[in-house]
C-alpha cells in the first residue's frame, strides 16, 4: 500500500518501520529545539507532515512502548484517529504521566502510526436486542481469570 505524504516543514522526517514485521511506523518530532513536557502536563508535538490516507483506511496513532514504559509519555487521547479525508498536519498530543519533567528532542520518535482498514456501520434503532449469556453485564462481569 502506498500512502502519500506532504512535507509541511523541510526538516520533517518521513515515518519509518523499526523492523521488517513492525505494524506501526514511527513518527518523529519536527521541532528546532527541545520541547519540555512538565510532569502531569500535555504538549502538542509537530510532525511536519500531512498524509493522504487511502479511502477505507484510517491512521491510528499509538504510544511508542519505550516512551510509555521508560519515560511515562503517551498520547493524551490514548489513540489518535487520522481520517482518510484529513489533509492537515498530523500532530501528537503527548502527556507526561511521570513525576519528572521530560524533554522531546528534535527528530525524536514520539509515537507510531498504524494504517488499518475499517468497516463503516449503518446504525438502526431497535426496540430490543438479541439475548446473550453475558447480557448487560458490564466491567468485570466475565471474571478475572
Amino acid at each position: 500500500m502506498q500512502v502519500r505524504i506532504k512535507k509541511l516543514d523541510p526538516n520533517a522526517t518521513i515515518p519509518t518501520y523499526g523492523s521488517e514485521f513492525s505494524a506501526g511506523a514511527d513518527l518523529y518530532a519536527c521541532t528546532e529545539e527541545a520541547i519540555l513536557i512538565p510532569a502531569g502536563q500535555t504538549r502538542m508535538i509537530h510532525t511536519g507532515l500531512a498524509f493522504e490516507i487511502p479511502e477505507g483506511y484510517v491512521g491510528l496513532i499509538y504510544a511508542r512502548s519505550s516512551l510509555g514504559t521508560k519515560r511515562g509519555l503517551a498520547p493524551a487521547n490514548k489513540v489518535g484517529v487520522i481520517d482518510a479525508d484529513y489533509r492537515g498536519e498530523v500532530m501528537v498530543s503527548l502527556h507526561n504521566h511521570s513525576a519528572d519533567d521530560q524533554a522531546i528532542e528534535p527528530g525524536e520518535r514520539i509515537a507510531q502510526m498504524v494504517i488499518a482498514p475499517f468497516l463503516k456501520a449503518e446504525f438502526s434503532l431497535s426496540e430490543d436486542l438479541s439475548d446473550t449469556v453475558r447480557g448487560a453485564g458490564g466491567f468485570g462481569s466475565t471474571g478475572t481469570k
Side-chain angles (χ1 to χ4, degrees):
M1 167 188 294
Q2 186 170 32
V3 176
R4 295 177 62 185
I5 299 172
K6 180 179 181 181
K7 272 191 169 190
L8 304 174
D9 183 307
N11 296 318
T13 303
I14 302 299
T16 62
Y17 289 97
S19 73
E20 179 183 1
F21 298 108
S22 295
D26 290 327
L27 298 177
Y28 295 80
C30 184
T31 179
E32 292 184 15
E33 55 189 40
I35 298 172
L36 182 67
I37 307 176
Q41 298 292 311
T42 301
R43 295 288 182 266
M44 294 297 285
I45 311 297
H46 292 266
T47 66
L49 300 172
F51 294 80
E52 187 175 314
I53 307 290
E55 187 177 323
Y57 291 82
V58 62
L60 299 172
I61 309 297
Y62 294 104
R64 292 193 71 249
S65 58
S66 61
L67 282 185
T69 58
K70 295 178 181 177
R71 296 176 54 197
L73 296 172
N77 54 342
K78 305 307 178 210
V79 177
V81 175
I82 310 302
D83 295 311
D85 58 351
Y86 177 66
R87 294 294 183 270
E89 181 181 10
V90 169
M91 294 175 43
V92 177
S93 60
L94 276 184
H95 183 77
N96 183 355
H97 295 276
S98 79
D100 301 315
D101 294 351
Q102 299 288 331
I104 295 297
E105 299 296 330
E108 184 173 350
R109 294 176 294 172
I110 56 170
Q112 58 183 324
M113 180 168 62
V114 174
I115 306 293
F118 69 90
L119 300 173
K120 192 134 190 176
E122 184 178 311
F123 298 99
S124 60
L125 190 58
S126 177
E127 292 296 322
D128 57 304
L129 303 174
S130 62
D131 290 329
T132 66
V133 172
R134 182 177 185 177
F139 297 106
S141 66
T142 61
T144 59
K145 297 193 187 251

